[in-house]
């Protein structure tokens, strides 16, 4: 039985505790902390876990074999570094950390440790539809990919959402997905601003990202965070001999009063709940984490930074990554 400590008992922390204890087998949650100790106590009470005074105490606890970090993004570096130093596997919700420099510190700590301990919560890689898309692409049956068109639409966003969150919270999922889907790095980004929506309320919305890939592909990503009608994730890849696209996810259609309709998911929880289940199940089952790595978290942070810069300047921004350590070479195993 793997004993997991959870740092952060907010929205996703609560949901991951439920998932770890009720959906996945072979895992028990033994420790919880949150700056709001009442929130930690409420979550802990659902599992019989101990409440700790802070996240570092969770990482250090003797009855914690592995850590799940679900606190606010700017606290992630501290807890992930502590887990790596303690030699404990750590699943960290995105972002890995809030700057490329902080992500690199985690990469360096993990490389010094000599084997992978860190996984970042980019859950699209675990979604059935995205995996099916990648299977068709990798089969080679429709030839080499040339372009991808993506749309990421939210019905609305919370009051604390800032203009750059269209990139750092929203487009970052496509940024990670694209690197994984095509197995190549993003080399430049440009963020364009179409006609602003009157639903936007102070946010630059919608925006259109144009990502340039090292393999010469172009990927466009429409981000629209006040789309009102629901949560809608779209993607179509143009290849040399055909296309492959995410299909509508609905299991039903309704015929009523002269109309044929299908429901649209309300939000990301509804659309990706099965992907979160698979993500944490595979993480708990893996001897060495093999999902999105600290390097992937670093690369997403660098591309996000460049896109935020482009959102402000409306200029094309080139992207340069540090040298990738051998630990993250997909063809090599651990260093030890
Ligand atoms: P949330 O509901 O605000 O939860 C964050 C919790 O962490 C809050 O209870 C917060 O307390 C607590 N916290 C803040 N600083 C802490 C610290 N130093 N130690 C321990 N706990 C601390 O936010 P959320 O929506 O769950 O998001 C949490 C993280 O998950 C974010 O990084 C977010 O980007 C990520 N996330 C990922 C996905 C995904 O699709 N993969 C979806 C949602 C969220 P206070 O509220 O008192 O500050």
């Amino acid at each position: 039985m793997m004993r997991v400590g959870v740092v952060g008992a907010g929205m996703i922390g609560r949901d991951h505790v439920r998932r770890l204890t009720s959906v996945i087998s072979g895992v028990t949650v033994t420790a919880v902390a949150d700056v709001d100790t009442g929130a930690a106590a409420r979550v802990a009470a659902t599992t019989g876990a101990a409440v700790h005074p802070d996240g570092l105490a969770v990482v250090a606890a003797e009855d914690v074999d592995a850590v799940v970090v679900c606190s606010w993004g700017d606290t992630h570096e501290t807890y992930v570094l502590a887990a790596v130093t303690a030699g404990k596997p750590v699943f960290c919700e995105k972002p890995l950390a809030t700057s490329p420099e902080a992500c690199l510190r985690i990469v360096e700590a993990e490389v010094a440790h000599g084997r992978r301990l860190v996984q970042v919560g980019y859950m699209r890689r675990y979604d059935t539809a995205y995996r099916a898309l990648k299977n068709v692409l990798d089969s080679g049956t429709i030839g080499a990919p040339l372009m991808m068109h993506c749309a990421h639409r939210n019905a609305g966003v919370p009051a604390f959402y800032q203009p750059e969150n269209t990139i750092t919270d929203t487009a970052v999922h496509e940024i990670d997905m694209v690197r994984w889907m095509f197995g190549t790095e993003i080399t430049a980004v440009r963020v364009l601003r179409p006609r602003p929506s009157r639903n936007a309320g102070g946010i630059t919305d919608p925006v259109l990202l144009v990502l340039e890939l090292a393999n010469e592909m172009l990927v466009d990503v429409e981000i629209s965070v006040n789309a009102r009608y629901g949560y809608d994730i779209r993607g179509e890849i143009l290849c040399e001999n055909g296309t492959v696209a995410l299909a509508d996810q609905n299991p039903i259609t309704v015929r009523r009063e002269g109309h044929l309709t299908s429901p649209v998911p309300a939000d990301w929880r509804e659309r990706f709940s099965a992907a979160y289940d698979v993500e944490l199940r595979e993480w708990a089952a893996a001897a060495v984490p093999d999902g999105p790595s600290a390097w992937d978290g670093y690369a997403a942070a660098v591309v996000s930074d460049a896109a935020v810069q482009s959102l402000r300047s409306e200029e094309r921004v080139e992207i340069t990554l540090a040298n990738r350590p051998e630990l993250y070479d997909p063809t090599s195993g651990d260093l030890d």
Side-chain angles (χ1 to χ4, degrees):
M1 187 67 83
M2 181 162 89
R3 301 168 301 175
V4 171
V6 177
V7 182
M11 182 173 48
I12 198 120
R14 286 193 298 273
D15 203 33
H16 281 344
V17 168
R18 175 195 60 76
R19 189 165 277 121
L20 289 165
T21 53
S22 310
V23 180
I24 296 167
S25 55
V27 175
T28 173
V29 175
T30 50
V32 178
D34 192 294
V35 283
D36 176 349
T37 45
R42 282 190 294 281
V43 170
T46 64
T47 72
V51 178
H52 287 263
D54 57 42
L56 291 175
V58 167
V59 175
E62 279 190 6
D63 64 351
V64 165
D65 305 316
V67 181
V68 171
V69 176
C70 301
S71 48
W72 271 106
D74 52 16
T75 69
H76 291 182
E77 180 190 8
T78 302
Y79 301 128
V80 174
L81 281 177
V84 171
T85 304
K88 295 185 181 184
V90 52
F91 175 93
C92 178
E93 260 310 335
K94 62 89 189 164
L96 175 61
T98 45
S99 73
E101 295 75 22
C103 292
L104 261 192
R105 286 193 284 274
I106 294 170
V107 164
E108 285 160 8
E110 196 176 41
V111 169
H113 177 76
R115 61 197 295 265
R116 277 198 57 191
L117 290 170
V118 180
Q119 179 162 322
V120 188
Y122 287 115
M123 76 298 181
R124 293 212 184 168
R125 300 181 185 210
Y126 299 88
D127 177 61
T128 306
Y130 274 112
R131 284 185 162 184
L133 209 66
K134 185 162 170 55
N135 282 344
V136 171
L137 187 69
D138 291 349
S139 73
T141 49
I142 54 173
L146 308 173
M147 295 180 70
M148 182 169 186
H149 310 290
C150 308
H152 184 152
R153 300 186 191 135
N154 289 58
V157 286
F160 60 75
Y161 199 89
Q162 296 295 309
E164 64 272 16
N165 292 138
T166 52
I167 307 296
T168 56
D169 265 6
T170 304
V172 73
H173 284 290
E174 271 78 15
I175 289 170
D176 178 71
M177 179 277 294
V178 160
R179 294 183 58 258
W180 164 75
M181 182 69 69
F182 302 109
T184 191
E185 295 296 355
I186 298 165
T187 54
V189 57
R190 180 151 186 210
V191 181
L192 303 168
R193 304 174 180 192
R195 181 181 182 181
S197 165
R198 281 177 295 180
N199 297 336
I203 304 289
T204 306
D205 178 28
V207 294
L208 185 77
L209 281 71
V210 180
L211 305 173
E212 298 174 29
L213 274 54
N215 67 2
E216 298 183 272
M217 284 184 66
L218 289 181
V219 177
D220 57 84
V221 185
E222 171 209 312
I223 302 291
S224 175
V225 296
N226 290 283
R228 297 281 169 96
Y229 70 88
Y231 183 74
D232 200 3
I233 298 297
R234 296 175 169 269
E236 181 181 28
I237 304 171
L238 171 71
C239 296
E240 287 168 317
N241 304 321
T243 71
V244 57
L246 298 173
D248 282 332
Q249 300 289 309
N250 293 294
I252 58 162
T253 50
V254 179
R255 289 169 170 80
R256 185 169 168 265
E257 294 180 352
H259 288 83
L260 175 66
T261 61
S262 290
V264 177
D267 62 22
W268 46 272
R269 278 164 291 212
E270 192 177 333
R271 169 65 182 79
F272 286 112
S273 68
Y276 291 114
D277 291 349
V278 177
E279 174 187 54
L280 280 185
R281 185 177 294 117
E282 292 191 8
W283 172 72
V288 176
D290 61 358
S293 67
W295 178 260
D296 294 320
Y298 160 72
V302 175
V303 178
S304 275
D305 252 25
V308 168
Q309 215 180 306
S310 179
L311 176 68
R312 291 179 185 143
S313 67
E314 295 184 72
E315 302 284 335
R316 175 180 174 274
V317 178
E318 294 196 355
I319 294 160
T320 309
L321 297 179
N323 289 329
R324 187 176 65 191
E326 196 191 338
L327 183 62
Y328 307 106
D329 181 342
T331 60
S332 81
D334 286 341
L335 290 179
D336 56 12

